[in-house]
Amino acid sequence: MKFAIFGKPFDDAAAPLIQALFDDLAARQAQVLLLESFRGFLEQRGTRLPEDCTTFRRGDSLRGVQYAISIGGDGTLLDTVTYIGALQLPILGINTGRLGFLAPTPPSYIPQAIDALYRGHFTLEERSLLRVETDPDVFGSLNFGLNEFSILKRDTSSMIAVHTYIDGEYLNSYWADGLIVSTPTGSTGYSLSCGGPVMLPQTNNFIIAPVCPHNLNVRPLVVSDQSVISFEIEGRGTSYLLALDSRSVPVEATVQMAVRRETFNARLVKLNHVNFLSTLRNKLNWGLDRRNPGSALTTK
């Protein structure tokens, strides 16, 4: 079996568990491809790697790989998606970061997770992506994202106006610090902090959420992801910021923008002990109420 492994630096507590991962893969005689920058970090730490381990960088082909393993936080997994793109390789997210909505597998569960991959004891969760089209081109070939697309003010304290259209029909002019278009996956990210709703991953929608709106009667809006959402920017500044997941680019107000659903999905490995609802309860501390069975606040 062939694995592509992505990762970011981790702390000392996770080191022996990550070492156990490579030892397990070596014992199973798996082919391992390591992201070049991550291999450098591992070698500095003295991590023992499989003898025939090779490296790859952005732009290299990952065809023939069966699984991708993302070691880090949600940001690492978002970056992993940009390497995989239309190949739609199944991604196992191992959480050595903080929150871990997208990478819910703790390092202590690595042996069971690898065994589940080999035995086929998992399901694949299809996560929709959004695609951003701009004129002039801004994001190049990496114009897709798993979480959200944001339009933000940049070089002035004054708010901006984002004139927004759905399928060519005028929706609203948002006077705010910015505007977010989120996927269901991104509903637990930036959109949530702006008052947007939480959506289940299988929901075929986008969320349009203003960032610090001037009009308090303006609220986040849920629209079909079959829609094309386009924008025009107006403000006192001459430069604005477009952000697509963790990638951001300054642009002029004359740029034309549209968001639509991407033609391919991200595929996340879902192990038997993990589901989205339990992740919500654990990460957002839902259910911490003495009246709820199983709550950490329940007293005996």
Side-chain angles (χ1 to χ4, degrees), residues 142-187:
L142 298 180
N143 65 335
F144 57 91
L146 178 57
N147 262 7
E148 74 267 319
F149 168 68
S150 306
I151 303 169
L152 304 167
K153 67 179 186 179
R154 181 171 182 252
D155 57 2
T156 176
S157 60
S158 300
M159 70 186 70
I160 61 176
V162 184
H163 307 299
T164 306
Y165 304 81
I166 298 179
D167 295 328
E169 183 177 346
Y170 176 66
L171 168 64
N172 189 26
S173 292
Y174 293 91
W175 291 89
D177 284 356
L179 192 70
I180 302 167
V181 179
S182 168
T183 66
T185 297
S187 71

Side-chain angles (χ1 to χ4, degrees), residues 10-18 45 96 107-108:
F10 48 81
D11 58 25
D12 292 341
L17 301 171
I18 302 302
R45 290 196 62 99
T96 59
S108 59

Side-chain angles (χ1 to χ4, degrees), residues 122-249:
F122 64 90
T123 57
L124 288 179
E125 196 167 68
E126 300 280 347
R127 298 292 186 98
S128 62
L129 306 170
L130 55 76
R131 182 170 84 243
V132 179
E133 298 169 345
T134 62
D135 185 17
D137 185 27
V138 170
F139 293 105
S141 61
L142 298 180
N143 65 335
F144 57 91
L146 178 57
N147 262 7
E148 74 267 319
F149 168 68
S150 306
I151 303 169
L152 304 167
K153 67 179 186 179
R154 181 171 182 252
D155 57 2
T156 176
S157 60
S158 300
M159 70 186 70
I160 61 176
V162 184
H163 307 299
T164 306
Y165 304 81
I166 298 179
D167 295 328
E169 183 177 346
Y170 176 66
L171 168 64
N172 189 26
S173 292
Y174 293 91
W175 291 89
D177 284 356
L179 192 70
I180 302 167
V181 179
S182 168
T183 66
T185 297
S187 71
T188 55
Y190 195 4
S191 174
L192 183 63
S193 69
C194 294
V198 174
M199 293 199 298
L200 298 182
Q202 299 78 19
T203 308
N204 297 318
N205 292 306
F206 289 136
I207 302 168
I208 302 175
V211 180
C212 300
H214 184 258
N215 298 320
L216 297 182
N217 59 345
V218 174
R219 292 291 181 264
L221 178 68
V222 177
V223 302
S224 167
D225 65 6
Q226 298 305 303
S227 305
V228 177
I229 309 170
S230 54
F231 314 93
E232 296 173 356
I233 311 174
E234 177 187 345
R236 294 180 181 175
T238 59
S239 181
Y240 305 93
L241 197 67
L242 302 187
L244 183 55
D245 285 349
S246 58
R247 308 179 299 283
S248 60
V249 181

Side-chain angles (χ1 to χ4, degrees), residues 42-55:
L42 293 171
E43 290 176 340
Q44 287 180 356
R45 290 196 62 99
T47 306
R48 297 186 308 277
L49 301 175
E51 291 184 1
D52 57 351
C53 177
T54 58
T55 58

